[in-house]
Amino acid sequence: MITAKGYATHSPSDKLKPWNFERREIGPNDVKIEILFSGVCHSDIHQARSEWFPGIYPMVPGHEIVGRITEIGSAITKFKINQLAGVGCMVDSCQQCNNCQKGFEQFCEVGKTVFTYNSLEKDGKTPTYGGYSNIIVVNENFVLSVSDKLPLEGVAPLLCAGITTYSPIRKWNIGKGHKVAVLGLGGLGHMAVKFAVAFGAEVSVLSTSPDKEQDAYKLGAHNFYHTKDEEQVKQLTNQFDFIIDTVSAAHNYDMYLKMLAANGVQILVGIPSTPIQFSGFSLLTNGRSISASSIGGIPETQEMLDFCALHNIVSDIELININYINEAYERVLKSDVKYRFVIDCSTL
Ligand code: NAP
Ligand code: ZN
C-alpha cells in the first residue's frame, strides 16, 4: 500500500483536519499522480456534511485534481512519467455497458460508476478518497491529459465546474443567436459564462450579489441582473432561450421559469439538498422545459480540456493553503468566492 497525506472529515458535523491513509499500489492499468492542485467544489461541502445522502467517513473530498504522473503500471501506453494529468469526479465504472462504451460513464447502466471520493471501488467495499491529498492512484481510462500551456491551478476546476457547464452547453447546442442566462455566479456559474460566451451566445448573469456585476462583465457577460430587485426580475419575463441554473440552495423555480421564452429550457446543474418544486403552469406557458445535467463523460471531459487549451480558458481562482479549507467552506456558503478556491497541495 502507498501512504498518502490528506485532509479528511470524520462526521457530517466535523471540520476537515490532517489525516494519513492508504492508497492501493499501482496495478498494470493504473497511473500514480502527485497531486499539485485540487479545486473546492460546492459538492464537497454537500457531501462532507451528508446533505444529499449519508456520507462514507472518514471522507477526503476533492474531485478537481491536477498533478504530475510519477509512476505508471506495466500495461500503460497512453501516459508517461512526468506528464501532467487531471482527474475529475469519476475514477472507474464497469467500462462495458452501453453507456460506458458511448462515453457516458457517469450513467453506467450496471451502477458501477466509482466516484472520486465518498464512493466504493468496484469491489463494493473499498472507499475512494479524493483530491485534498498528495497522491492518487487511478485507472488510466479515467485520467485526462492536461496541456502545459495553461496555468495549472486554473485548470483544476475545469475537471468538475468546467465539464459540468460545458456538457449541457454542447448537448443543447447553445451558441450564436441564443439568449442564455446563467443563474448564480459561483464556481460553476463563472465557467458557464465563459463557455456560453465562447460559443457565441448573448449571456446574462442572474445573481443575488449585486457586487458581482463588474466581474460578470469582465468574464464576458453582456448583461447583469440582480434577482432580489423585483423591478429587474419583472422585465425579464419571457426573455431567455436557456437558463443554466447553478444555484446550490433552495430557490424559487417559478420565478426563473417565467423568464424563459417560447420553448425555453431551464437546465439544472445546481443540486440543492431539498426536492425542487414548481407549478405546472410555469412550464405550460410558452411550452417551457426543465432539464438537468450530471458532470460529463470522460471523452467529453477531454474535449473540454482541449477546447480550453485552444481558447485559453481557465477558472478564476483563489489559491489557498490546505489549512484554510474550513474557512474556505464558510466563504463558499456565503457566496463569497471569486470564483473557485483551489488548494495548493504542496502545503499538505
Ligand atoms: P458555488 O460556488 O457556491 O456557487 C453557487 C452560487 O449560487 C453562489 O455563488 C450564488 O451566486 C448562488 N446562490 C447561492 N445560494 C443561493 C440562493 N439561496 N438563492 C439564489 N442563488 C444562490 O457552488 P458551485 O461549486 O458552483 O456548485 C453549484 C451547485 O452545483 C452545487 O449544488 C453543486 O453541488 C452542484 N454541482 C452539480 C454538478 C452536476 O454534475 N450537476 C457538478 C458540480 C456541482 P450569486 O452570488 O451570483 O447569487
Ligand atoms: Zn464538483
Side-chain angles (χ1 to χ4, degrees):
M1 297 297 258
I2 298 167
T3 302
K5 285 190 285 192
Y7 257 53
T9 174
H10 293 257
S11 84
S13 56
D14 205 11
K15 290 209 182 312
L16 288 143
K17 44 186 183 245
W19 186 59
N20 289 344
F21 60 102
E22 292 192 323
R23 305 255 192 207
R24 67 170 182 269
E25 286 294 345
I26 70 167
N29 299 103
D30 286 335
V31 166
K32 183 169 149 192
I33 299 167
E34 179 203 351
I35 301 177
L36 299 173
F37 299 105
S38 188
V40 178
C41 180
H42 204 121
S43 304
D44 299 347
I45 305 176
H46 290 306
Q47 294 186 84
R49 300 185 177 183
S50 287
E51 288 172 1
W52 289 339
F53 48 81
I56 301 169
Y57 299 93
M59 186 191 300
V60 178
H63 56 204
E64 296 185 334
I65 299 167
V66 292
R68 197 172 284 285
I69 296 175
T70 54
E71 209 178 326
I72 55 173
S74 55
I76 303 282
T77 52
K78 255 191 350 200
F79 294 103
K80 292 197 182 86
I81 290 176
N82 266 331
Q83 202 180 326
L84 296 174
V87 179
C89 300
M90 301 178 280
V91 288
D92 210 347
S93 73
C94 89
Q95 302 188 42
Q96 310 287 331
C97 72
N98 212 13
N99 283 345
C100 286
Q101 290 285 316
K102 283 191 198 146
F104 300 122
E105 299 88 349
Q106 74 275 37
F107 304 137
C108 176
E109 285 170 14
V110 291
K112 292 282 184 196
T113 306
V114 180
F115 293 96
T116 306
Y117 68 89
N118 196 24
S119 183
L120 297 175
E121 295 280 6
K122 278 194 291 190
D123 65 9
K125 55 178 194 221
T126 311
T128 56
Y129 299 114
Y132 301 1
S133 67
N134 60 339
I135 298 170
I136 192 163
V137 176
V138 183
N139 177 291
E140 63 171 332
N141 293 332
F142 289 78
V143 177
L144 288 308
S145 297
V146 166
S147 160
D148 55 11
K149 296 199 181 75
L150 297 174
L152 270 193
E153 58 274 31
V155 171
L158 301 179
L159 276 305
C160 174
I163 182 60
T164 302
T165 49
Y166 180 90
S167 184
I169 287 172
R170 298 306 291 143
K171 174 176 166 177
W172 292 94
N173 264 316
I174 295 175
K176 266 202 169 50
H178 289 136
K179 287 172 119 185
V180 178
V182 173
L183 174 49
L185 196 62
L188 267 57
H190 91 291
M191 289 312 307
V193 171
K194 291 190 185 209
F195 286 132
V197 168
F199 285 107
E202 182 190 314
V203 179
S204 300
V205 168
L206 306 176
S207 173
T208 59
S209 311
D211 59 306
K212 293 181 181 172
E213 180 165 4
Q214 288 314 313
D215 287 348
Y217 295 131
K218 276 190 218 139
L219 290 163
H222 306 93
N223 311 295
F224 180 93
Y225 301 100
H226 178 211
T227 53
K228 287 183 176 162
D229 177 336
E230 278 176 30
E231 283 309 308
Q232 293 197 36
V233 168
K234 235 188 257 162
Q235 79 186 65
L236 294 175
T237 307
N238 303 337
Q239 285 301 307
F240 302 115
D241 300 303
F242 296 95
I243 296 174
I244 302 175
D245 180 345
T246 76
V247 174
S248 49
H251 55 289
N252 182 347
Y253 290 87
D254 291 305
M255 177 175 119
Y256 297 106
L257 282 167
K258 285 188 186 122
M259 297 179 185
L260 288 171
N263 301 314
V265 186
Q266 181 159 345
I267 305 163
L268 310 184
V269 288
I271 321 169
S273 53
T274 48
I276 67 165
Q277 273 191 325
F278 52 88
S279 157
F281 289 103
S282 302
L283 294 184
L284 277 178
T285 312
N286 270 349
R288 300 165 176 132
S289 309
I290 197 156
S291 180
S293 193
S294 171
I295 48 174
I298 296 296
E300 194 174 47
T301 305
Q302 190 63 61
E303 177 192 307
M304 177 274 312
L305 287 169
D306 297 345
F307 179 87
C308 288
L310 195 66
H311 295 267
N312 217 3
I313 294 175
V314 286
S315 171
D316 291 13
I317 64 134
E318 291 188 44
L319 193 63
I320 60 168
N321 284 8
I322 186 72
N323 62 15
Y324 186 75
I325 188 67
N326 294 299
E327 225 166 315
Y329 273 22
E330 292 312 315
R331 284 187 48 201
V332 170
L333 290 170
K334 285 187 242 157
S335 305
D336 173 26
V337 49
K338 306 273 168 75
Y339 277 86
R340 196 59 139 189
F341 288 114
V342 172
I343 302 162
D344 175 354
C345 290
S346 71
T347 60
L348 262 156

